[in-house]
Amino acid sequence: AQSVTQPDIHITVSEGASLELRCNYSYGATPYLFWYVQSPGQGLQLLLKYFSGDTLVQGIKGFEAEFKRSQSSFNLRKPSVHWSDAAEYFCAVRNSGGYQKVTFGTGTKLQVIP
Amino acid sequence: DTAVSQTPKYLVTQMGNDKSIKCEQNLGHDTMYWYKQDSKKFLKIMFSYNNKELIINETVPNRFSPKSPDKAHLNLHINSLELGDSAVYFCASSQDLREFGAQYFGPGTRLTVT
């Protein structure tokens, strides 16, 4: 069974600074990978997904993520954070064969300070 | 125009009662899902329907029964509510099963069982 780890429970960055949120997965083959954002009291919004192809994936709101098979990682990045990016971020992994299952990480809460 | 809508947004009820949550998507998607998010923000899939057919049924008490009258609607009925059912329930949809994981989420229904 696959699993996903988001090592950072809480991250604080200054507005305008760069951001990297970590995500590590465990799965025997190449997985499908996703990043979601959840603002307080809201549902989750898909930022980007990786199914195959180019390992650097561009998403919405200026986010990108890079799939690194050797490190079993799919870290989310943004060059310059805006105050409106403060939210909870979830990484998710889906197996690419057999009974389909999506597993979500426990989330990273991003705080942005002026 | 709301893509995935859920009603009600808040639901407060007593133990032992039966309640329903309704979900509708206007995206023309084939696949719909129910997720449960607990107090620690952990998100877990409960059910998935593809073209009105149940295809994912995770380990969920049989007090939970999904119903899909058509592919735009997926309702969740819960019998004999228990304290542990308190959570936020999210409905979601994806274009089809191939896009499982890349989903549009509704705003959530916060269920509180007293």
Side-chain angles (χ1 to χ4, degrees):
Chain A
Q2 73 264 30
S3 65
V4 60
T5 302
Q6 292 180 248
D8 304 304
I9 296 172
H10 190 269
I11 280 186
T12 301
V13 300
S14 299
E15 192 168 13
S18 64
L19 171 70
E20 182 167 28
L21 301 182
R22 296 185 291 164
C23 173
N24 294 97
Y25 68 88
S26 173
Y27 181 62
T30 300
Y32 302 140
L33 296 157
F34 313 87
W35 273 101
Y36 283 86
V37 61
Q38 184 179 27
S39 298
Q42 304 289 318
L44 282 77
Q45 182 182 22
L46 180 68
L47 288 174
L48 45 80
K49 65 184 182 186
Y50 172 78
F51 279 10
S52 65
D54 194 344
T55 55
L56 185 61
V57 181
Q58 300 299 319
I60 62 171
K61 302 182 186 231
F63 286 94
E64 68 177 26
E66 187 170 11
F67 169 55
K68 291 187 177 179
R69 187 193 309 274
S70 61
Q71 297 176 21
S72 298
S73 69
F74 188 57
N75 293 348
L76 183 72
R77 300 194 294 247
K78 187 168 185 178
S80 177
V81 168
H82 188 260
W83 64 266
S84 60
D85 294 323
E88 188 115 24
Y89 291 80
F90 293 91
C91 181
V93 59
R94 172 188 149 193
N95 53 310
S96 52
Y99 177 75
Q100 295 294 292
K101 192 176 171 74
V102 171
T103 302
F104 281 79
T106 49
T108 296
K109 188 166 185 177
L110 173 66
Q111 183 181 5
V112 180
I113 54 177
Chain B
D1 238 3
T2 305
V4 182
S5 59
Q6 295 177 230
T7 53
K9 189 166 174 63
Y10 298 97
L11 188 51
V12 181
T13 188
Q14 292 184 328
M15 283 174 57
N17 285 348
D18 303 338
K19 289 293 177 188
S20 292
I21 306 172
K22 295 188 175 182
C23 177
E24 176 181 1
Q25 54 96 2
N26 62 6
L27 298 166
H29 287 174
D30 287 344
T31 313
M32 295 185 73
Y33 313 83
W34 276 110
Y35 283 85
K36 178 180 179 180
Q37 187 175 47
D38 65 21
S39 58
K40 293 193 169 114
K41 297 287 186 79
F42 181 64
L43 198 66
K44 188 174 178 194
I45 191 166
M46 300 171 70
F47 303 103
S48 174
Y49 271 73
N50 186 60
N51 277 321
K52 301 196 301 174
E53 182 186 347
L54 179 66
I55 52 158
I56 292 175
N57 186 354
E58 289 294 305
T59 309
V60 175
N62 57 15
R63 298 181 294 103
F64 290 78
S65 53
K67 279 195 171 49
S68 182
D70 56 62
K71 74 174 193 176
H73 295 85
L74 180 61
N75 304 323
L76 183 65
H77 188 75
I78 317 170
N79 288 329
S80 303
L81 278 153
E82 300 178 358
L83 291 176
D85 298 331
S86 294
V88 181
Y89 292 84
F90 288 101
C91 178
S93 72
S94 65
Q95 182 67 53
D96 49 40
L97 277 176
R98 290 172 301 177
E99 288 291 308
F100 178 27
Q103 293 145 147
Y104 290 78
F105 279 78
T109 296
R110 182 174 292 276
L111 171 65
T112 304
V113 183
T114 62

